[in-house]
Amino acid sequence: MVKDFTFATAMYESGDWESAPLLPGCVIDALARYTSLSIAPMGVNVALGSPEIFNFPFVWLTGHLPVRFTDQERKNLKQYVERGGFMMIDDHNHDQDGIFHKTMTEELTRTFGPLKEVPKTHELYHCFFEFSDGPPATVAELSGWGDQLVHKELHAVMPQGDRIGLLYSLKDYSSEWNMHPDTKQFSTVDPTRFGVNMIVYALTR
Amino acid sequence: MPSRVNPTTSRSDERFETEETFFPVRATIEAVLHGVALVALAFLVWQAVHVLRQRPAVYAAGNSVRASLVRWTTRQAPEKAHVALDSVPTPDLRDWIAALPGAGTQMSWEGGSLRPSAVAVEPVPDPKHKVRIWVAAPAKSMVSLSDALGGIDSVDVETGGAVLTVPGVEGDVGATVNGTKATTVQRDSLTIKPVLVLGVASWEPKFIMASLEEYGWKVDSRFSISPKSGDVVQNVVPSAVQIDTSKYAAVIAVDSSAQRYAGQIAEYVRKGGGFIATGDAAALPAFAELMPGHPGTASQEHDFDLDSVTPRTAISLAAISQLKPNAVPIEMRAHEVAVAARRVGQGRVLQVGYLDTWRWRMGGIEKSIDPYRNWWATMVSSIAYAPRHPIANSSPVEPTPMASLVSILGTPTSQKPPSGSFLDDPRLLPALFGLLMFAFLVEWGSRRLRGQP
């Protein structure tokens, strides 16, 4: 009995959790395109503060606006990571001086302590597609939007050894992958391939 | 006028007569003391002959046993001896008691306060708790465990024994119960090899693998992702998985993707390997010969209770039915078999009826991580293949002190042997000797003070 993988987007009370509505479908499309995994065709939205979050070991969280978690959201987030879930948090602003980054890293540091840098040799970059230079650059970075930087690494919470429980990105994959799947045909390289790596990593480590 | 002095009587004679007159009682006492000394001397001579001729029955208890053994062995060979032990004697003392019958002494013993105990140590195929210590002890007693490095733990025994698993032991392992120490040593060690997890990339194999790694198992894995891209592997050569007892302690198959390894797994199990099948893997026809039973239809699917305090009662279960004759139910849920085990060839197979156990860890109550992790680690440990290697150790041990005592000294008896007359009392000789010397010295001193020889 192989259960379907379900792409879940976290809803939180502050900020704009729904800022990348097309992203789940685009990543699901990539998963279906490159793997033979059993995948739920539609993503789900699940409240970070509800116990239902624990039914989805992979959760995507994004936004532009300031974030302040409620006590229950903070508690669930901590338990979620400790229990073995994988949460991807992406700054939709691509701005290290942006309000989302500042408030979110403040929340994460408060909950987990300082985030760790994910080395380029990490399994995340090699478990399916090969990303030997680390996380792929996004159009937002290359176009000079946001903080006008190409961030060379991602950061993470690693509760056990080098196993990632929470991956934090300033690269704005939320903009990069927030498109209709058919749009990918106009790209030389499918930008959502790194999304496949993230999910394969979450499912196998 | 007659003389007032008798010319035939000297002054000394006169004084003697005067003293005889003045000390009749003293003389009588001296005579009595003289007699007592002579009687005592005669009795001592008789006693010496008596002891040589007819040996007495003697008794010793508690701390006096060792001193008594010295006396019985070197000065007095009693005909019968009885010892009352208040603790299990050291091996040398025990053997000493056991040797007395060889010298002609009829031995008996009692140990009313002694309690039987035993200790055993065995290696466990478990990376975290590598040694299991079994202790047998009386109910309601406290056992203190120690090894060469010091105290290990203590445990209150409720019903007659206790089992502890510990990370390791060093040298002699002792279990002290009511002052009696049973000792043993670890005689074997195990080579613990990795575990192989096979499945399609999904939450169940991922959480099993993660939990086993967190527990301490080294885990290899092969997760199917896509026919084109191949599998995601960990510590495994992507081109071929070689399932053999030389490489793996156990193999866990989670779903039908294990079909392609069915031949290798069957051979691996017959050679001694451990195999766990859960989910669709347990229902594969290719594994039907190995499985302890037949997997039923999944129950309680999708109704995992997030607030459940007993998560294993809430996760889905494909109850195992039609158990094979040599299959053993390992875990029941209500009246249904949830986990069953079976020996196949030299190996062991475990069939897990629970489905989506990862929900237990992710969605259980707050303290769900350790129980889930430990449960899976225990499942693997129970079937793991781990070759044994002897450990050279020649130190003398006593794993069953009370049983050894009974074996060597015979059955204890609470009936003391007849102690004979007071003449057999070993205290009589020094008492008589003291009396003799007292009577002799007093009599002699008294006479000398009177000027008598």
Side-chain angles (χ1 to χ4, degrees):
Chain A
M1 184 181 304
V2 178
K3 297 291 180 186
D4 293 344
F5 167 80
T6 305
F7 190 102
T9 301
M11 302 185 289
Y12 50 97
E13 294 196 10
S14 59
D16 56 340
W17 63 266
E18 73 285 28
S19 63
L22 298 180
L23 185 143
C26 196
V27 176
I28 289 168
D29 171 78
L31 279 173
R33 205 179 282 246
Y34 301 116
T35 74
S36 56
L37 298 176
S38 179
I39 310 157
M42 299 288 288
V44 298
N45 300 327
V46 57
L48 179 58
S50 82
E52 209 164 325
I53 190 89
F54 298 109
N55 285 331
F56 302 96
F58 178 92
V59 169
W60 180 276
L61 188 150
T62 188
H64 298 91
L65 303 176
V67 177
R68 185 61 68 215
F69 289 142
T70 64
D71 288 345
Q72 188 59 49
E73 286 173 340
R74 201 173 291 122
K75 183 182 173 189
N76 277 7
L77 176 65
K78 187 168 175 59
Q79 286 189 357
Y80 183 87
V81 172
E82 286 174 350
R83 291 180 185 187
F86 183 102
M87 181 170 287
M88 171 66 195
I89 298 179
D90 184 56
D91 176 10
H92 208 158
N93 293 321
H94 170 53
D95 187 355
Q96 65 182 3
D97 293 322
I99 196 69
F100 179 89
H101 173 70
K102 284 186 174 175
T103 53
M104 180 56 83
T105 50
E106 197 177 290
E107 280 286 350
L108 296 179
T109 305
R110 180 178 171 186
T111 308
F112 299 106
L115 301 179
K116 295 177 186 171
E117 188 177 310
V118 182
K120 289 177 185 173
T121 54
H122 196 276
E123 191 67 21
L124 173 69
Y125 302 121
H126 314 283
C127 63
F128 196 75
F129 292 112
E130 186 68 22
F131 295 94
S132 52
D133 293 330
T138 61
V139 170
E141 289 177 315
L142 297 175
S143 304
W145 299 339
D147 56 18
Q148 303 183 0
L149 294 172
V150 176
H151 299 279
K152 294 291 185 187
E153 68 285 317
L154 302 179
H155 291 82
V157 174
M158 300 180 185
Q160 292 276 347
D162 67 348
R163 181 174 293 135
I164 296 172
L166 185 149
L167 188 64
Y168 181 75
S169 156
L170 253 171
K171 299 183 76 74
D172 194 7
Y173 290 120
S174 301
S175 297
E176 186 86 349
W177 303 341
N178 187 32
M179 58 185 170
H180 192 280
D182 288 345
T183 312
K184 287 192 266 186
Q185 63 183 306
F186 303 112
S187 303
T188 310
V189 177
D190 183 353
T192 53
R193 293 191 314 156
F194 186 59
V196 176
N197 264 44
M198 271 193 289
I199 290 165
V200 167
Y201 176 85
L203 284 167
T204 57
R205 292 290 185 272
Chain B
M1 184 175 180
S3 173
R4 291 172 63 186
V5 177
N6 184 351
T8 61
T9 305
S10 66
R11 289 180 66 87
S12 62
D13 291 342
E14 189 178 321
R15 194 182 68 185
F16 180 76
E17 285 174 2
T18 304
E19 287 175 353
E20 286 286 333
T21 305
F22 284 136
F23 300 113
V25 176
R26 183 169 176 172
T28 305
I29 292 172
E30 286 169 358
V32 170
L33 288 171
H34 194 76
V36 168
L38 288 176
V39 169
L41 181 62
F43 193 88
L44 282 171
V45 172
W46 178 85
Q47 169 73 1
V49 174
H50 169 76
V51 167
L52 285 176
R53 207 157 39 94
Q54 186 179 355
R55 296 171 304 160
V58 289
Y59 171 80
N63 294 331
S64 68
V65 169
R66 183 175 288 275
S68 298
L69 284 173
V70 172
R71 190 173 63 247
W72 299 343
T73 308
T74 57
R75 298 197 302 271
Q76 176 191 26
E79 183 184 16
K80 293 179 181 176
H82 183 83
V83 291
L85 301 171
D86 57 5
S87 65
V88 173
T90 55
D92 67 311
L93 198 61
R94 180 196 62 199
D95 292 347
W96 197 347
I97 298 170
L100 279 180
T105 298
Q106 185 182 331
M107 284 298 304
S108 61
W109 70 283
E110 65 179 295
S113 62
L114 302 185
R115 293 289 177 266
S117 63
V119 62
V121 171
E122 66 169 355
V124 185
D126 183 316
K128 198 170 175 182
H129 300 108
K130 295 180 179 173
V131 175
R132 183 177 291 135
I133 303 174
W134 301 79
V135 179
K140 308 292 182 191
S141 61
M142 196 187 85
V143 181
S144 297
L145 292 166
S146 60
D147 66 0
L149 299 180
I152 296 175
D153 205 346
S154 62
V155 60
D156 289 319
V157 174
E158 288 298 322
T159 55
V163 184
L164 290 91
T165 52
V166 295
V169 293
E170 189 68 39
D172 289 4
V173 177
T176 306
V177 186
N178 293 342
T180 299
K181 186 175 186 180
T183 57
T184 188
V185 291
Q186 184 181 351
R187 301 193 184 281
D188 301 298
S189 69
L190 302 178
T191 300
I192 300 178
K193 299 176 185 298
V195 176
L196 176 65
V197 178
L198 300 170
V200 173
S202 68
W203 301 129
E204 183 70 348
K206 171 243 171 73
F207 278 92
I208 293 173
M209 187 183 92
S211 293
L212 291 176
E213 280 186 340
E214 289 164 9
Y215 186 86
W217 281 100
K218 187 175 181 302
V219 182
D220 294 357
S221 62
R222 187 173 184 121
F223 293 134
S224 304
I225 302 286
S226 144
K228 283 184 184 174
S229 64
D231 299 340
V232 173
V233 298
Q234 175 171 290
N235 306 325
V236 173
V237 178
S239 57
V241 174
Q242 187 188 347
I243 300 173
D244 192 82
T245 51
S246 65
K247 297 193 73 171
Y248 296 117
V251 175
I252 302 174
V254 177
D255 50 52
S256 56
S257 68
Q259 168 88 39
R260 54 180 158 161
Y261 306 111
Q264 281 191 67
I265 289 173
E267 187 62 22
Y268 164 77
V269 170
R270 289 192 181 92
K271 286 181 179 175
F275 178 49
I276 298 177
T278 181
D280 279 358
L284 282 175
F287 291 142
E289 279 190 19
L290 300 178
M291 290 298 105
H294 183 75
T297 308
S299 64
Q300 295 193 359
E301 200 168 31
H302 304 305
D303 64 350
F304 181 74
D305 184 0
L306 292 170
D307 297 323
S308 171
V309 291
T310 51
R312 287 213 303 285
T313 64
I315 52 182
S316 301
L317 173 69
I320 302 165
S321 60
Q322 301 171 35
L323 289 182
K324 291 177 180 160
N326 65 343
V328 181
I330 301 294
E331 187 169 311
M332 305 287 291
R333 189 165 88 178
H335 301 294
E336 297 179 313
V337 179
V339 182
R342 178 180 177 234
R343 277 196 173 278
V344 178
Q346 297 177 50
R348 282 166 285 189
V349 176
L350 201 69
Q351 183 175 354
V352 177
Y354 294 119
L355 305 172
D356 289 338
T357 60
W358 66 269
R359 289 175 177 270
W360 171 8
R361 173 166 169 155
M362 275 302 285
I365 55 173
E366 289 190 11
K367 305 287 182 189
S368 61
I369 301 173
D370 282 345
Y372 174 79
R373 186 188 293 156
N374 294 341
W375 188 82
W376 267 108
T378 304
M379 292 294 114
V380 172
S381 181
S382 69
I383 52 94
Y385 169 78
R388 287 185 179 235
H389 306 285
I391 298 174
N393 200 322
S394 59
S395 64
V397 292
E398 186 54 85
T400 55
M402 183 68 174
S404 298
L405 193 64
V406 172
S407 170
I408 293 171
L409 299 185
T411 308
T413 174
S414 59
Q415 292 181 332
K416 297 176 189 174
S419 60
S421 68
F422 75 99
L423 299 175
D424 296 331
D425 193 331
R427 292 170 297 185
L428 187 61
L429 283 178
L432 278 174
F433 183 74
L435 179 64
L436 184 152
M437 292 305 294
F438 172 79
F440 174 73
L441 287 173
V442 170
E443 188 249 341
W444 177 78
S446 178
R447 285 175 62 83
R448 290 299 293 168
L449 286 173
R450 285 197 295 118
Q452 293 297 309

